[in-house]
């Protein structure tokens, strides 16, 4: 845009300067020529009174010497030789003598002026004055140079002013565009300093108001989620009391473990919802998504700075949690975990959310007694989480990956898996597996290796799972 404005200013100013410069240059040249010819005619006319008084050659030479440019004055006497070196063509000289007319004309090498003088006895003498070519153009080039420099200065000044004005507009537009991109990528702190023309200042003010309102709405929405989650504590308290009344019964330990796990999950949801707009990577990071991703960003995964966990460990803990419900519904469960390192650039909470979503779908959409399997496979560049079942399968895999478009389902589970995989640079694949039902593969890119000398730190919010749940998982696997 700056180049366009500077180009427009250059073109317009150049046309205006040329429209004045060309006629002015011609006028200067014409004036200089006219002044030189007029001076020559005046010199010839000044010598005419002397010639009417005397025709003595010495007196005439003495009188001509007192005039400027006397070397070009020539007196043609009617009955004697010419006093000086004549440059006048003979035809013009004869015409001036016979016709007794003043002649001023351009000849090769300059300009000639012939002034006839009538002497006593009806004789005619002619005064000749020659103006060389150099005299006709003296000072013209200097005048042209001054006018050219002035025109160049005016053009350069106009281009500079246009560039400065364009730079102000472009700077304001770029800041507004960068802030818009940052806001679109999730940086809710993105704001602009309104500057530039009034229209761009108004646009900057409107952008800041929009971003502020968006932040307020997101904060209200997150607080609403926290409030709704908090309301679930009332029935959870009732479950605690019921489990206490069941103390001593075979089911009391299992119910108490399930209630404790549910309370832990509920507390985690409330804490995450009330964290001021600091969502994890599965929300694509509402903060810290500027042009510089920070030291935790890698080409293979955009997880939060320093976040990583062992996917196999998280899958083991979450599958043990679901084993309790699987045992109640008589669902055979097969768990196969890799023994190789399976670090991914996600916190364990996000991996747990993926496992819960996929296994929860198995329980919701397949009848009791339907077997399912969970596997974690390590490849050269990725960690694959596979959840398969022997249910009816997913008829439209592409539509199932769209949030809220699945028939009879909200589509949130698969969407959670898809977003978590996308954060690390992975994908989600849906097919029909060996068990005859859905075969869902979530691919997570491997986390980059830690720098040498740095001890690996893996967040472990869930420090373990009940021993009884593990024993039940092994019992279900043996079935």
């Amino acid at each position: 845009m700056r180049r366009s404005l500077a180009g427009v200013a250059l073109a317009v100013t150049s046309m205006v300067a040329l429209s004045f410069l060309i006629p002015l240059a011609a006028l200067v040249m014409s004036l200089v020529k006219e002044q030189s010819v007029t001076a020559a005619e005046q010199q010839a006319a000044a010598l005419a009174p002397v010639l009417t008084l005397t025709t003595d050659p010495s007196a005439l030479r003495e009188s001509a010497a007192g005039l400027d440019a006397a070397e070009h004055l020539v007196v043609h006497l009617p009955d004697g030789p010419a006093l000086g070196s004549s440059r006048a063509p003979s035809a013009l000289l004869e015409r001036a003598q016979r016709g007794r007319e003043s002649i001023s004309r351009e000849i090769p090498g300059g300009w000639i002026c012939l002034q006839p003088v009538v002497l006593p006895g009806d004789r005619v003498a002619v005064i000749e004055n020659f103006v060389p070519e150099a005299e006709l153009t003296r000072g013209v080039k200097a005048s042209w140079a001054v006018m050219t420099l002035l025109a160049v200065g005016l053009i350069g000044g106009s281009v500079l002013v246009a560039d400065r004005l364009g730079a102000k507009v472009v700077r304001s537009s770029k800041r507004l565009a960068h802030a818009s991109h940052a806001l679109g990528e999730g940086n809710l702190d993105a704001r602009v300093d309104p500057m530039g023309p009034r229209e761009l200042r108004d646009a900057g003010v409107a952008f800041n108001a929009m971003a502020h309102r968006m932040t307020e709405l997101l904060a209200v929405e997150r607080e609403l989620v926290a409030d709704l989650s908090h309301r679930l504590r009332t029935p959870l308290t009732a479950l605690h009391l019921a489990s206490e009344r069941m103390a001593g019964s075979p089911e009391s330990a299992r119910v108490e473990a399930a209630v404790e796990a549910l309370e832990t999950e509920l507390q985690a949801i409330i804490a995450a919802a009330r964290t001021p707009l600091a969502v994890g990577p599965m929300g694509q990071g509402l903060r810290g998504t500027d042009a510089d991703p920070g030291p935790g960003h890698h080409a293979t995964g955009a997880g939060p700075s320093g976040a990583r966990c062992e996917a196999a460990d998280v899958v083991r803990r979450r599958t043990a949690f679901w084993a309790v419900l699987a045992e109640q519904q008589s669902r055979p469960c097969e768990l196969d975990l890799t023994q190789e390192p399976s670090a991914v650039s996600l916190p364990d909470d996000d991996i747990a959310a993926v496992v819960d979503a996929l296994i929860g779908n198995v329980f919701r959409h397949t009848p009791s007694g339907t077997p399912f399997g969970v596997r974690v496979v390590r490849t050269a560049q990725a960690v694959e989480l596979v959840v398969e079942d022997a249910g009816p399968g997913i008829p439209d895999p592409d539509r199932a990956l769209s949030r809220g478009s699945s028939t009879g389902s909200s589509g949130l589970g698969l969407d959670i898996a898809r977003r978590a995989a996308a954060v690390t640079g992975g994908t989600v694949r849906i097919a029909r597996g060996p068990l005859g039902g859905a075969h869902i593969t979530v691919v997570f890119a491997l986390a980059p290796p830690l720098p040498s000398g740095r001890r690996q730190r893996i967040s472990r919010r869930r420090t373990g799972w009940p021993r009884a749940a593990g024993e039940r998982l092994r019992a279900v696997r043996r079935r």
Side-chain angles (χ1 to χ4, degrees):
M1 187 175 181
R2 290 178 59 182
R3 292 183 179 179
S4 299
L5 292 176
V8 170
L10 176 62
V12 173
T13 312
S14 299
M15 289 188 293
V16 173
L18 288 176
S19 64
F20 283 95
L21 187 61
I22 293 176
L24 188 59
L27 178 61
V28 168
M29 187 173 183
S30 176
L31 288 176
V32 171
K33 184 176 181 180
E34 184 178 352
Q35 289 176 357
S36 300
V37 172
T38 300
E41 291 175 349
Q42 290 175 351
Q43 292 170 2
L47 191 60
V50 179
L51 191 59
T52 58
L53 295 177
T54 180
T55 57
D56 180 41
S58 59
L60 292 175
R61 289 191 182 96
E62 184 178 354
S63 298
L67 300 175
D68 294 334
E71 69 274 11
H72 299 303
L73 281 172
V74 180
V75 179
H76 297 273
L77 298 175
D79 51 359
L83 302 178
S85 178
S86 176
R87 292 181 177 82
S90 57
L92 290 180
L93 184 60
E94 185 178 358
R95 176 181 169 184
Q97 289 177 340
R98 292 184 179 183
R100 300 181 181 184
E101 61 174 316
S102 299
I103 299 176
S104 181
R105 182 171 297 179
E106 185 177 6
I107 63 173
W111 194 276
I112 194 70
C113 296
L114 299 177
Q115 179 66 43
V117 179
V118 180
L119 301 178
D122 199 27
R123 295 178 301 165
V124 178
V126 179
I127 301 175
E128 173 190 339
N129 196 359
F130 175 73
V131 183
E133 185 75 28
E135 294 292 332
L136 294 176
T137 58
R138 177 177 295 177
V140 172
K141 293 183 178 180
S143 300
W144 284 0
V146 171
M147 291 187 293
T148 301
L149 291 177
L150 180 60
V152 171
L154 291 175
I155 293 174
S158 65
V159 172
L160 181 62
V161 171
D163 180 72
R164 291 297 89 197
L165 294 176
K168 193 174 182 180
V169 174
V170 170
R171 190 181 307 114
S172 179
S173 301
K174 284 185 176 180
R175 289 184 178 180
L176 185 59
H178 291 165
S180 300
H181 286 303
L183 184 64
E185 292 174 356
N187 182 13
L188 297 183
D189 289 334
R191 298 292 187 273
V192 295
D193 183 16
M195 60 178 293
R198 183 174 60 85
E199 293 78 5
L200 285 177
R201 291 199 303 270
D202 293 342
V205 172
F207 174 85
N208 290 339
M210 178 193 66
H212 181 69
R213 181 57 177 165
M214 183 181 300
T215 304
E216 289 181 345
L217 292 176
L218 285 174
V220 170
E221 181 181 358
R222 292 171 63 81
E223 190 63 27
L224 178 60
V225 172
D227 292 342
L228 293 176
S229 300
H230 190 271
R231 290 168 60 182
L232 294 177
R233 284 186 168 179
T234 300
L236 190 61
T237 303
L239 288 177
H240 266 299
L241 296 176
S243 65
E244 291 177 359
R245 289 194 297 268
M246 295 171 57
S249 65
E251 297 293 329
S252 61
R254 185 173 59 187
V255 172
E256 184 65 25
V259 171
E260 289 179 359
L262 180 59
E263 186 174 10
T264 301
E265 293 296 326
L266 190 58
Q267 183 62 34
I269 292 174
I270 295 174
R274 285 184 172 166
T275 301
L277 297 179
V279 299
M282 291 177 64
Q284 299 299 326
L286 290 180
R287 295 190 186 274
T289 55
D290 295 336
D292 181 11
H297 176 80
H298 303 280
T300 58
S305 178
R308 58 192 293 136
C309 70
E310 287 291 331
D313 293 343
V314 179
V315 173
R316 179 185 295 108
R317 294 195 300 269
R318 297 314 300 160
T319 308
F321 172 80
W322 288 97
V324 179
L325 184 58
E327 182 181 8
Q328 293 178 352
Q329 296 185 359
S330 300
R331 292 177 179 270
C333 174
E334 182 68 26
L335 179 63
D336 184 9
L337 302 176
T338 179
Q339 299 302 316
E340 299 182 61
S342 57
V344 296
S345 297
L346 286 174
D348 57 354
D349 283 349
D350 291 342
I351 297 294
V354 174
V355 177
D356 291 344
L358 297 181
I359 299 180
N361 281 344
V362 174
F363 281 80
R364 280 190 295 271
H365 301 293
T366 62
S368 299
T370 302
F372 69 97
V374 180
R375 288 187 291 118
V376 175
V377 181
R378 160 72 186 271
T379 63
Q381 300 294 332
V383 175
E384 296 183 356
L385 168 62
V386 180
V387 177
E388 57 182 345
D389 59 67
I394 300 176
D396 191 350
D398 294 334
R399 186 180 179 187
L401 289 174
S402 300
R403 187 184 182 99
S405 63
S406 299
T407 304
S409 170
S410 64
L412 296 179
L414 291 176
D415 184 68
I416 290 174
R418 180 188 59 80
R419 287 186 291 126
V423 166
T424 66
T427 58
V428 175
R429 300 191 299 267
I430 300 178
R432 186 170 293 275
L435 296 180
H439 183 276
I440 301 174
T441 304
V442 184
V443 181
F444 302 102
L446 281 173
L450 292 174
S452 58
R454 177 183 173 187
R455 188 164 55 94
Q456 182 176 0
R457 297 177 181 177
I458 302 175
S459 83
R460 297 181 180 274
R461 177 179 297 179
R462 301 177 179 89
T463 57
W465 44 283
R467 180 178 300 177
E471 294 174 353
R472 290 184 176 86
L473 173 61
R474 288 190 290 272
V476 171
R477 291 177 58 186
R478 287 194 294 270
R479 294 181 183 179

